[in-house]
Amino acid sequence: MIAVSTQEPMFPRPFPMAVRMFDAVSSQDSPLRLLSKYVFISLDILEIKDDWKHRDFVNYVRRYFENKNNKVLAISGLRGTGKTTGILQAAENLDCLYITAQSDEVEMGEDYITIIKETDKKYIILDEYSWIKDRENLDKFLSTAVENGKRIVITGTESITLDFLNYGSLIHRVDIKHVTLFTYDEYCRIYERKPSKEVCLDYLLLGGVFKSYQIKNFDSMQHYIKTALVDNLVGYTKNKLSEERAKQIIYTVFYRAICSSTQSKIKQLYRDKLPVPNYFDLFGIDTDINYPEEEFKRDIDRVSDIFEQIGVIVKIPNVVDQDDSFCKDLPILWDKTPSFKTYVVNPSLTCQLIKAIYGLDKIDKYILGLVFEACTMSYLATYRLEESKLFFYEIHLEGGINSELDALIAHGENNNLLYLFESKLQENTSLEDSFTIRQ
């Protein structure tokens, strides 16, 4: 059986189903009756169409269900990335229990423990897990249940809270899969579009989330940041951080990320970027609130690290900061040579942030080239081999001479094998024969 909330649709598109009340609900003392807001759907009549394509992480969840594992599986990702859809696709042929919590429900963690103890289902999916109140004992119980043979997957909107379960009650007992990066390959497969230049441009402008969450303009960007990130961060801090402070921090992290990865590419962007106060004003952020400078800087660094950890941004270090053999004896202007670049992994969010920060009316091919670079670097950072290291190469020398390369993947003993990448949104692109790098 699957328990499904009747208040919100689970899927971003119509999901045909036949509903009937599960027999056990009629029993007054059934533990399943504790969750009075839910109806139960027979798995054999819950149709998941064969032609619905799935994201890459679905196979990861399937392997978890099939194999022995002593950890709870957490699927972490921002709104609109298909977490619930993918989990249920992975559970399509299984007899499992699905429960989604509500932010205003009266049930506590102990109620969920009772349900899991009483159900004979091996496969259990808990959605909106962070909304369950008084969850500490439940966290510990899930680990015990998994060790005793249950396969338990948790997910939810508040991906920051989910991610930090690995540092609390579920330390070393949870396997976290990040799914915020919605790749071009996945986009083509899910929407059944053959890879082409036109499809690639559509992905850069509108990709990164399912269609019902698309970031198409300034207003939809603001709404997405509010619901996917501001509320997420406030919820993680249990409202100790006000919404206004959360907005200041998050929009500053994005401002610095976009500037660090774009303004050196097109000189006009550096000249035209909005000053931070004007940028805050554009988004209606109150800059008059009392926020001590040192505390603000600390919180920005902290949230930037959190966003990197949960897969919202990727940070790439400059190889010249890591290995002085790349700049030995060169007259480098270190104050102009960046230590790292930061990229936002969602392409449509990157597009709208670039438009806002640089005051652009439209996204032209040059700007799309920057978004393409962000997608390329996000992909390389996520899918590189664990033993490899990813860098970029950029130096600014006296006399105005600059040298730059988008990506270097260092591999082998002492990182002595380098793979060089340049990201260009054009056909038949290759590295210039004249490009050299110091051995």
Side-chain angles (χ1 to χ4, degrees):
M1 300 294 171
I2 297 181
V4 183
S5 168
T6 59
Q7 295 192 4
E8 293 184 345
M10 291 186 301
F11 293 86
R13 45 188 161 177
F15 191 64
M17 58 180 70
V19 179
R20 66 178 176 82
M21 295 303 291
F22 180 51
D23 295 338
V25 175
S26 62
S27 172
Q28 291 295 322
D29 55 357
S30 167
L32 295 174
R33 193 167 180 79
L34 290 168
L35 298 180
S36 57
K37 298 175 185 175
Y38 301 92
V39 297
F40 295 83
I41 298 175
S42 177
L43 189 59
D44 58 0
I45 56 176
L46 181 59
E47 181 185 3
I48 297 178
K49 291 186 177 180
D50 292 338
D51 61 352
W52 282 10
K53 307 303 179 184
H54 58 74
R55 290 199 53 196
D56 292 344
F57 77 87
V58 173
N59 287 331
Y60 191 92
V61 180
R62 283 175 177 159
R63 289 193 296 271
Y64 172 80
F65 282 141
E66 293 167 358
N67 300 326
K68 184 177 180 180
N69 190 311
N70 289 329
K71 292 185 177 181
V72 176
L73 176 60
I75 301 299
S76 172
L78 296 188
R79 292 175 66 90
T81 51
K83 300 181 298 297
T84 299
T85 303
I87 294 169
L88 291 182
Q89 284 175 317
E92 180 181 4
N93 297 313
L94 301 176
D95 186 18
C96 68
L97 174 68
Y98 170 88
I99 306 174
T100 181
Q102 300 294 308
S103 59
D104 60 347
E105 70 183 14
V106 298
E107 289 77 26
M108 302 289 189
E110 294 295 334
D111 298 321
Y112 283 80
I113 292 175
T114 301
I115 292 169
I116 296 170
K117 281 182 177 179
E118 294 297 328
T119 183
D120 62 352
K121 309 304 179 188
K122 176 179 178 180
Y123 306 101
I124 298 171
I125 301 166
L126 301 178
D127 206 347
E128 298 301 358
Y129 185 74
S130 62
W131 289 353
I132 301 173
K133 300 177 180 67
D134 294 336
R135 213 183 51 240
E136 184 175 354
N137 288 338
L138 176 60
D139 291 346
K140 297 174 182 177
F141 173 76
L142 293 187
S143 175
T144 301
V146 168
E147 290 175 356
N148 290 332
K150 300 283 190 184
R151 320 303 306 132
I152 300 176
V153 180
I154 60 176
T155 190
T157 304
E158 295 182 352
S159 51
I160 300 176
T161 301
L162 279 179
D163 216 87
F164 279 83
L165 288 173
N166 199 30
Y167 300 91
S169 302
L170 280 172
I171 187 168
H172 306 312
R173 298 172 180 175
V174 61
D175 178 16
I176 299 176
K177 180 69 174 176
H178 298 107
V179 302
T180 293
L181 177 60
F182 195 144
T183 68
Y184 174 60
D185 287 342
E186 292 177 297
Y187 178 84
C188 292
R189 181 174 66 249
I190 286 171
Y191 294 111
E192 298 181 295
R193 302 185 68 183
K194 186 177 180 180
S196 67
K197 183 177 181 180
E198 178 185 0
V199 174
C200 181
L201 296 180
D202 286 346
Y203 170 73
L204 296 177
L205 287 167
L206 298 172
V209 288
F210 278 95
K211 285 184 178 179
S212 56
Y213 293 87
Q214 276 182 347
I215 303 170
K216 301 178 181 179
N217 50 43
F218 182 86
D219 290 336
S220 57
M221 169 182 61
Q222 269 195 300
H223 177 73
Y224 187 79
I225 292 175
K226 165 69 167 62
T227 57
L229 290 165
V230 175
D231 293 348
N232 198 341
L233 182 60
V234 172
Y236 168 66
T237 64
K238 301 186 185 301
N239 295 306
K240 293 178 182 177
L241 187 69
S242 70
E243 181 177 322
E244 205 60 34
R245 283 196 175 191
K247 286 171 62 178
Q248 272 197 347
I249 295 167
I250 290 169
Y251 278 98
T252 301
V253 170
F254 281 146
Y255 183 88
R256 293 181 178 182
I258 295 298
C259 291
S260 79
S261 59
T262 59
Q263 64 185 19
S264 65
K265 299 285 184 176
I266 303 175
K267 291 183 179 179
Q268 183 180 348
L269 294 182
Y270 181 76
R271 295 194 300 266
D272 293 347
K273 72 176 179 179
L274 286 177
V276 172
N278 300 62
Y279 168 74
F280 280 164
D281 186 59
L282 180 67
F283 288 97
I285 297 173
D286 184 5
T287 55
D288 293 330
I289 62 173
N290 181 26
Y291 208 151
E293 184 176 355
E294 288 302 315
E295 183 180 346
F296 185 46
K297 289 180 179 178
R298 183 199 66 202
D299 288 348
I300 290 170
D301 290 342
R302 178 65 175 141
V303 171
S304 180
D305 289 342
I306 289 173
F307 279 12
E308 182 181 22
Q309 179 172 322
I310 67 174
V312 176
I313 61 176
V314 296
K315 297 178 184 178
I316 314 296
N318 193 342
V319 71
V320 300
D321 273 359
Q322 309 293 318
D323 188 340
D324 59 10
S325 66
F326 286 93
C327 55
K328 200 171 184 179
D329 303 325
L330 292 177
I332 291 180
L333 299 174
W334 288 107
D335 60 328
K336 295 184 177 181
T337 298
S339 297
F340 62 88
K341 290 183 179 180
T342 304
Y343 296 92
V344 179
V345 305
N346 182 309
S348 55
L349 181 56
T350 300
C351 276
Q352 295 302 324
L353 285 168
I354 289 175
K355 282 184 67 178
I357 290 170
Y358 297 118
L360 303 175
D361 294 326
K362 62 179 182 179
I363 298 291
D364 60 24
K365 64 179 181 180
Y366 300 106
I367 300 302
L368 284 175
L370 300 177
V371 182
F372 182 75
E373 179 185 325
C375 292
T376 302
M377 299 304 289
S378 297
Y379 185 91
L380 289 175
T382 304
Y383 290 102
R384 64 177 173 78
L385 297 175
E386 288 186 5
E387 61 269 24
S388 300
K389 296 180 181 179
L390 177 64
F391 304 98
F392 73 96
Y393 175 79
E394 183 176 336
I395 56 174
H396 293 256
L397 305 177
E398 295 176 4
I401 300 173
N402 305 327
S403 183
E404 182 180 355
L405 185 66
D406 288 338
L408 297 84
I409 293 184
H411 191 71
E413 188 176 354
N414 300 320
N415 298 320
N416 57 358
L417 182 61
L418 293 177
Y419 298 90
L420 311 182
F421 294 86
E422 188 72 4
S423 174
K424 299 293 181 185
L425 185 60
Q426 61 189 54
E427 296 173 318
N428 302 319
T429 301
S430 60
L431 286 174
E432 296 180 11
D433 294 336
S434 60
F435 184 86
T436 59
I437 194 166
R438 294 174 69 91
Q439 298 299 316

